[in-house]
Amino acid sequence: MASSLTEVLAEDILVRLPVELLLRFKCVCKMWHKIIKSPDFIREHCKHHNKVHKILVYDRNNPPDPITLISKDGVLENPPPDERVRGMTYVLGSVYRLFLLKKVVDGNFSLSLWNPALREVRHLPDPKFEVQPYTTNPQIPLIGNFGIGLDPITNDYKVVWFLYFSDDDNIPRIYATVYSCSRDSWRMLQLNDRYKSHICARRFRQPLGTGYLNGTYYWLVLGAWKCSIVSFDFRNEEFGEIEGPNAGRPFDHRHLVMILLDDDSIALMTNVRICAFEYEIWVMVQPGLWNKLFALKCFTYTPSMKSWFPSTVIYVTRHSHLVSYNVRTGKSRHLGFHHPGLNNGVWNETVCSVHIYKESLVTIRRELQLN
């Protein structure tokens, strides 16, 4: 009984501590090591620290020190360099505290999962897309989109990757595959013709047109004057399509972003009058049903926006300073970070990218079970 009570008290104390301290405290005694490694404790730790976040800035053009962390108090931190994440051309996430890294070498993609808190990197195997039956051009441009998420039924972290191109007869071709961390392998997906034509014919908004919520990943898709959303459910590993809101006017795609509100709902932020910095927030009540939540003034152009977390947009000023803006309260806050590369354009993968980062004890090492 005493041992059980001691363990309960230890859990109650340890769950309040940051990851950095917990990694040290694993070596204190066997009981603490057992507690900190248990899946139940890891889940409780994530819930307890769900509102504690940092901002991670990844600067590809600064190989010696590409990562800067910004705390909510504006304190800057440069974690120890990690050779495995240098040279990445694209960082996606985070989703449940994990990032997806993309690297392009000689036109070939390679993907990795990354947990910065544990300094763990898992390089994903090659999915081996077979494009040769449809094209004889080895230099054909292959366009890819990615998503990362957690299957809430199996607690399995997954990555979805779909690749599309036009063959020698100019017929659109698409491959879709999903990676499972528990299986450490890819599985090719079968897509119906409707999704094939829809995905190939549209333009995906990156990176401010993507988001993960409750087991589903979303991509904002731009049409001529409309918008829609392609979704992927990690539970049944199926794609879906959601029509965007009917705003009564064409959307200006240069000023349209997807955000997540603090009540866990998907929303779109679109401009009304660019010169007046007037915007509208449209919230998705259910797939295909949208309500205009409110209008606001943001005092920045949408292309200056770099990232977001619930109800808050992070943008860069013309003098290359990072600022957060709460779309509900209208309050802005300078984040204390300045970098000239921030203003090179949000769509350019070679410059600074900005991400919301929450620490996690979730391991992605292959020899351990993911939970």
Side-chain angles (χ1 to χ4, degrees):
M1 182 71 179
S3 176
S4 176
L5 179 58
T6 302
E7 192 168 332
V8 170
L9 291 174
E11 287 183 12
D12 188 57
I13 296 172
L14 293 173
V15 78
R16 305 169 190 271
L17 301 179
V19 170
E20 183 180 3
L21 288 180
L22 292 176
L23 295 179
R24 298 179 187 176
F25 290 168
K26 282 196 303 181
C27 304
V28 170
C29 63
K30 290 183 178 179
M31 183 184 73
W32 285 18
H33 185 276
K34 176 185 174 183
I35 291 173
I36 295 170
K37 297 287 285 184
S38 71
D40 290 339
F41 178 83
I42 292 174
R43 280 192 287 269
E44 285 303 312
H45 186 267
C46 286
K47 292 178 184 178
H48 195 85
H49 296 263
N50 189 47
K51 294 185 178 180
V52 179
H53 71 267
K54 298 179 180 179
I55 295 172
L56 184 148
V57 180
Y58 181 82
D59 179 11
R60 184 193 172 197
N61 293 336
N62 185 19
D65 214 6
I67 300 167
T68 301
L69 296 177
I70 309 171
S71 72
K72 66 177 181 179
D73 301 318
V75 178
L76 304 185
E77 174 190 350
N78 292 106
D82 190 334
E83 293 290 341
R84 297 167 298 176
V85 302
R86 288 179 177 175
M88 295 296 171
T89 55
Y90 188 65
V91 178
L92 180 67
S94 66
V95 171
Y96 275 92
R97 281 79 171 175
L98 298 183
F99 289 91
L100 182 67
L101 308 178
K102 183 185 80 173
K103 192 172 187 178
V104 181
V105 179
D106 296 329
N108 297 315
F109 292 93
S110 65
L111 300 179
S112 303
L113 290 174
W114 177 39
N115 183 336
L118 300 185
R119 293 179 58 80
E120 291 181 356
V121 176
R122 174 191 278 215
H123 299 295
L124 306 191
D126 185 353
K128 299 187 185 304
F129 292 110
E130 298 291 341
V131 301
Q132 293 307 315
Y134 303 107
T135 180
T136 57
N137 179 12
Q139 302 299 323
I140 189 169
L142 300 176
I143 306 170
N145 283 281
F146 311 92
I148 176 178
L150 178 70
D151 182 337
I153 297 177
T154 63
N155 284 325
D156 186 12
Y157 288 87
K158 297 180 179 180
V159 174
V160 61
W161 182 359
F162 53 96
L163 195 69
Y164 46 99
F165 62 96
S166 295
D167 64 15
D168 291 345
D169 298 320
N170 205 31
I171 298 175
R173 302 285 182 179
I174 181 169
Y175 288 96
T177 183
V178 62
Y179 172 83
S180 162
C181 279
S182 63
R183 297 191 304 265
D184 193 21
S185 62
W186 295 90
R187 185 177 75 86
M188 297 297 295
L189 303 175
Q190 299 295 322
L191 297 178
N192 61 42
D193 292 337
R194 182 167 66 92
Y195 285 133
K196 288 182 180 179
S197 60
H198 178 78
I199 291 175
C200 290
R202 300 295 184 92
R203 186 160 56 94
F204 286 75
R205 186 66 177 268
Q206 299 279 6
L208 293 182
T210 64
Y212 170 88
L213 180 64
N214 298 332
T216 302
Y217 203 87
Y218 299 92
W219 296 269
L220 180 60
V221 185
L222 308 179
W225 296 103
K226 298 171 59 179
C227 71
S228 61
I229 292 174
V230 169
S231 64
F232 183 80
D233 191 326
F234 285 102
R235 287 160 286 211
N236 55 26
E237 298 183 352
E238 291 184 356
F239 285 93
E241 181 185 351
I242 303 170
E243 287 298 320
N246 182 6
R249 66 180 188 281
F251 283 107
D252 185 339
H253 294 148
R254 297 169 299 170
H255 302 272
L256 180 65
V257 298
M258 181 190 297
I259 61 175
L260 184 67
L261 298 181
D262 47 19
D263 59 353
D264 280 349
S265 55
I266 295 290
L268 297 180
M269 181 175 177
T270 179
N271 73 287
V272 180
R273 288 192 301 162
I274 299 175
C275 58
F277 300 105
E278 293 181 3
Y279 297 86
E280 293 176 344
I281 302 293
W282 290 80
V283 61
M284 187 170 67
V285 181
Q286 63 185 46
L289 179 61
W290 300 81
N291 281 343
K292 187 173 77 171
L293 199 60
F294 52 80
L296 70 150
K297 285 196 173 186
C298 192
F299 301 105
T300 184
Y301 293 113
T302 311
S304 299
M305 297 178 185
K306 305 292 286 187
S307 186
W308 51 260
F309 57 98
S311 295
T312 302
V313 175
I314 298 174
Y315 67 92
V316 57
T317 69
R318 63 178 179 174
H319 299 297
S320 301
H321 292 273
L322 278 184
V323 176
S324 67
Y325 179 84
N326 189 300
V327 298
R328 289 190 181 274
T329 65
K331 294 182 178 179
S332 298
R333 184 169 70 91
H334 283 267
L335 300 177
F337 182 77
H338 169 268
H339 193 292
L342 289 169
N343 256 327
N344 287 352
V346 73
W347 318 124
N348 190 341
E349 294 183 4
T350 65
V351 296
C352 291
S353 58
V354 180
H355 311 269
I356 302 304
Y357 167 54
K358 298 179 182 180
E359 294 184 336
S360 169
L361 290 164
V362 172
T363 181
I364 51 176
R365 293 168 59 188
R366 279 184 166 83
E367 62 267 28
L368 297 177
Q369 179 71 31
L370 274 175
N371 284 293

